[in-house]
């Protein structure tokens, strides 16, 4: 993409008070725009990051044999009354229409997905089933001060699975739980798994995936030596204790952000809707269900919190809006060379700062703020050698010169 085609702007500072680092950086770099507390527009570059995160998650869900659907966010009141959520879920947004009908905005989708799937699974032969969506969720959060990490409207991947036996459920549950760690690793995040009771869903066990960051709203105690981690609220241990799992490490306290979780829903939803299937003996049974969330937009906020320096964002390759940022100091000759780089590396991989009127300093500052992994400098000086200069935003590789007729080298050398 050419910078002159981008309508967004970068800002040196934010006029209003933004308490969270992710909101400050993402706003200054033109990735998001806040409409009101907890509600954001994802601008062109921000949307590319969000889509990259989404697509990594989507690939994993597909590999887990789950089918993608897109369910409504606007729900009739009746389904929320069926499960008790209408009166018991404090974050549920409720809407009254001009004809006095009442609706809820989806804060999760068990109420939609249970009838959707079970009306199509009359027999045990139709199960197991796993479906997911990646969509907006709405929650009347009291505090929305963590930037895009806690929205009142936010993007979530929610998957739901339906099983005929506890064993089959456990098998899938473990599969997803293990895969979550791979997903977060691919997104550049080290997640710790905490074990918790299922809260409002059930008394069954659930697992939360926590990333250590001071920007998080949770507090965990974790072992330095092994993967033991618990949330402070439920904990039978305290910081300084010997690790109950490995006995070698000592427990430390840290702030963390929940990026995903998996819940054992048991038979609650099948029973609430009285929707079951006929088993092999001709008897009606209720499905054992699981739900599996990942906060897609929160993940983007957490990545911004973990990957930045004093100059701006430093995106991991896997989610960066563009791999290359072509920093061109404008004159006719440089423009022709930059065009060559842009064509060789592909318009979909490059953000080309093709603006005329901007100073060199501003150009470099913007490239650092926006945080694409590889900066390619095209100036009179580099062209004297018939080359461009290739710089790593993260310092992952030493900067090097690359001849204009060997541009493929950029792809290889900037990967190592
Ligand atoms: P939290 O304790 O942070 O409120 P939760 O337990 O309510 O999270 P779930 O209902 O299980 O979260 O939602 C699944 C995932 O969606 C969470 O793991 C988190 O990553 C994300 N998420 C939850 N609430 C928000 C929010 N208000 N804004 C952005 N992401 C959210
Ligand atoms: Mg919550």
């Amino acid at each position: 993409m050419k910078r002159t085609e981008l309508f967004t702007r970068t800002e040196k500072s934010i006029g209003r008070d933004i308490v969270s680092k992710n909101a400050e950086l993402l706003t200054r770099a033109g990735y998001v725009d806040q409409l009101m507390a907890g509600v954001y527009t994802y601008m062109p570059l921000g949307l590319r990051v969000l889509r990259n995160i989404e697509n990594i998650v989507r690939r994993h869900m597909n590999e887990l044999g789950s089918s993608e659907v897109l369910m409504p966010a606007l729900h009739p009141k009746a389904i929320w009354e069926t499960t008790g959520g209408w009166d018991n879920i404090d974050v549920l947004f409720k809407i009254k229409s001009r004809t006095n009908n009442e609706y809820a905005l989806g804060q999760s989708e068990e109420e939609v997905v249970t009838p959707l799937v079970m009306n199509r699974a009359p027999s045990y032969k139709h199960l197991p089933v796993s479906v997911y969506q990646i969509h907006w969720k709405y929650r009347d959060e009291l505090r929305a001060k963590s930037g895009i990490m806690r929205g009142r409207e936010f993007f979530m991947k929610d998957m739901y699975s339906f099983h005929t036996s506890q064993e089959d459920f456990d098998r899938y549950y473990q599969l997803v739980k293990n895969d979550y760690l791979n997903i977060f690793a691919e997104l550049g995040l080290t997640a710790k798994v905490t074990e918790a009771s299922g809260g409002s869903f059930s008394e069954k066990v659930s697992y939360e995936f926590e990333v250590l960051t001071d920007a998080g709203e949770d507090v965990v105690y974790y072992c330095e030596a092994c993967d033991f981690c618990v949330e402070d609220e439920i904990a039978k241990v305290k910081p300084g204790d010997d690790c109950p799992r490995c006995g070698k490490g000592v427990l430390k306290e840290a702030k963390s952000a929940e990026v995903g979780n998996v819940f054992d829903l048991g038979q609650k939803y099948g029973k609430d809707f009285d929707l079951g299937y006929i088993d092999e003996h001709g008897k009606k049974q209720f499905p054992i269900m699981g739900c599996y969330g990942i906060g897609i937009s929160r993940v983007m906020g957490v990545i911004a919190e973990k990957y930045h320096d004093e100059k701006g964002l430093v995106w991991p390759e896997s989610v960066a809006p563009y791999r290359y940022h072509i920093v061109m100091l404008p004159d006719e000759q440089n423009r022709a060379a930059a065009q060559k780089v842009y064509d060789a590396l592909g318009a979909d991989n490059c953000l080309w700062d093709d603006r005329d009127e901007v100073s060199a300093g501003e150009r470099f500052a913007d490239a650092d703020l926006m945080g694409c992994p590889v900066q390619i400098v095209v100036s009179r000086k580099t062209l004297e050698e018939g080359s461009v200069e290739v710089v790593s935003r993260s310092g992952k590789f030493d900067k090097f010169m690359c001849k204009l007729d060997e541009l493929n080298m950029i792809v290889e050398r900037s990967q190592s």
Side-chain angles (χ1 to χ4, degrees):
M1 166 176 245
K2 292 179 185 164
R3 182 67 192 272
T4 49
E5 289 165 356
L6 197 60
F7 76 97
T8 60
R9 289 195 308 191
T10 56
E11 296 163 60
K12 284 206 177 64
S13 66
I14 303 288
R16 65 208 133 86
D17 246 12
I18 293 188
V19 279
S20 82
K21 198 71 196 169
N22 70 82
E24 186 206 317
L25 285 172
L26 293 168
T27 305
R28 283 183 48 213
Y31 283 78
V32 302
D33 179 74
Q34 189 189 59
L35 181 64
M36 58 179 173
V39 179
Y40 291 84
T41 296
Y42 288 79
M43 308 284 266
L45 298 183
L47 185 59
R48 284 180 72 98
V49 176
L50 199 71
R51 292 284 184 244
N52 288 341
I53 297 169
E54 195 184 314
N55 284 333
I56 288 171
V57 173
R58 175 175 283 117
R59 171 162 48 75
H60 280 267
M61 295 306 112
N62 291 343
E63 280 167 13
L64 285 164
S66 197
S67 316
E68 186 168 8
V69 292
L70 182 57
M71 293 182 276
L74 187 63
H75 301 173
K77 179 182 183 181
I79 57 175
W80 286 93
E81 286 180 319
T82 302
T83 60
W86 186 264
D87 292 320
N88 295 326
I89 297 181
D90 50 4
V91 295
L92 190 67
F93 269 114
K94 298 167 182 174
I95 296 176
K96 196 175 253 167
S97 77
R98 57 182 167 162
T99 52
N100 276 332
N101 284 315
E102 290 185 284
Y103 303 87
L105 292 181
Q107 61 90 35
S108 186
E109 303 261 338
E110 286 80 0
E111 280 74 4
V112 176
V113 80
T114 305
L116 186 81
V117 169
M118 291 315 293
N119 282 331
R120 288 163 183 78
S123 140
Y124 70 95
K125 290 180 188 155
H126 299 105
L127 298 174
V129 165
S130 176
V131 299
Y132 75 99
Q133 68 170 352
I134 300 176
H135 198 204
W136 293 114
K137 293 285 176 290
Y138 298 86
R139 291 187 188 178
D140 194 359
E141 304 278 7
L142 287 182
R143 292 176 69 254
K145 293 197 173 126
S146 300
I148 62 167
M149 287 170 61
R150 183 169 297 282
R152 296 202 167 98
E153 176 180 71
F154 60 98
F155 227 44
M156 195 207 280
K157 184 280 298 180
D158 43 326
M159 180 167 87
Y160 307 87
S161 70
F162 299 74
H163 307 267
T164 56
S165 69
Q166 192 62 42
E167 297 72 57
D168 192 53
F169 170 80
D170 290 342
R171 170 194 63 81
Y172 198 67
Y173 199 51
Q174 285 307 318
L175 208 64
V176 179
K177 183 184 157 211
N178 294 339
D179 197 41
Y180 262 36
L181 293 174
N182 300 333
I183 296 174
F184 293 121
E186 225 178 290
L187 294 166
L189 298 175
T190 304
K192 293 183 178 296
V193 189
T194 69
E195 205 167 299
S197 84
S200 68
F201 286 99
S202 65
E203 289 314 306
K204 305 234 175 209
V205 68
S206 72
Y207 299 98
E208 295 177 350
F209 294 75
E210 299 277 343
V211 173
L212 303 189
T213 165
D214 284 340
E217 295 177 20
D218 300 343
V219 174
V220 293
Y221 305 148
Y222 69 98
C223 173
E224 290 173 297
C226 75
D227 58 6
F228 179 80
C229 186
V230 285
E231 277 203 63
D232 63 338
E233 290 163 7
I234 54 150
K236 295 191 183 77
V237 288
K238 57 181 189 315
D241 284 359
D242 288 337
C243 173
R245 184 168 297 165
C246 70
K248 288 185 211 134
V250 173
L251 299 188
K252 290 187 85 173
E253 178 175 337
K255 290 179 84 179
S256 71
E258 183 190 315
V259 286
N261 56 31
V262 297
F263 281 103
D264 177 347
L265 299 174
Q267 295 181 311
K268 171 179 165 54
Y269 288 92
K271 285 182 178 167
D272 282 354
F273 284 98
D274 192 23
L275 284 170
Y277 62 90
I278 302 299
D279 71 10
E280 49 271 71
H281 310 295
K283 206 169 153 241
K284 180 172 169 175
Q285 303 284 358
F286 294 110
I288 295 169
M289 287 173 56
C291 77
Y292 316 81
I294 290 182
I296 302 283
S297 49
R298 180 178 291 180
V299 162
M300 179 168 160
V302 172
I303 295 173
E305 294 284 345
K306 305 282 290 184
Y307 289 89
H308 70 263
D309 60 17
E310 69 287 349
K311 292 176 183 167
L313 295 154
V314 188
W315 294 111
E317 299 250 339
S318 59
V319 303
Y322 291 96
R323 184 150 201 272
Y324 308 105
H325 191 132
I326 304 173
V327 183
M328 175 195 75
L329 308 188
D331 73 18
E332 279 317 307
Q333 195 195 358
N334 296 354
R335 189 172 289 278
Q339 178 79 53
K340 207 171 163 190
V341 175
Y342 189 64
D343 292 342
L345 297 175
D348 201 43
N349 298 316
C350 302
L351 179 62
W352 172 12
D353 191 348
D354 62 333
R355 293 171 301 173
D356 265 329
E357 71 286 9
V358 181
S359 74
E362 230 173 295
R363 251 175 243 279
F364 284 112
D366 263 15
D368 284 345
L369 175 60
M370 292 166 132
C372 295
V374 182
Q375 301 173 351
I376 301 173
V377 183
V378 187
S379 69
R380 202 168 286 177
K381 204 171 127 217
T382 67
L383 290 181
E384 272 168 19
E385 299 178 32
S387 300
V388 296
E389 187 181 40
V390 185
V391 182
S392 165
R393 175 66 181 90
S394 67
K396 193 177 78 167
F397 58 84
D398 293 336
K399 62 181 170 190
F400 62 90
M401 302 297 283
C402 177
K403 293 261 181 263
L404 271 180
D405 49 16
E406 290 173 5
L407 288 171
N408 270 345
M409 198 175 92
I410 296 180
V411 182
E412 290 153 31
R413 281 194 58 183
S414 65
Q415 238 146 22
S416 55

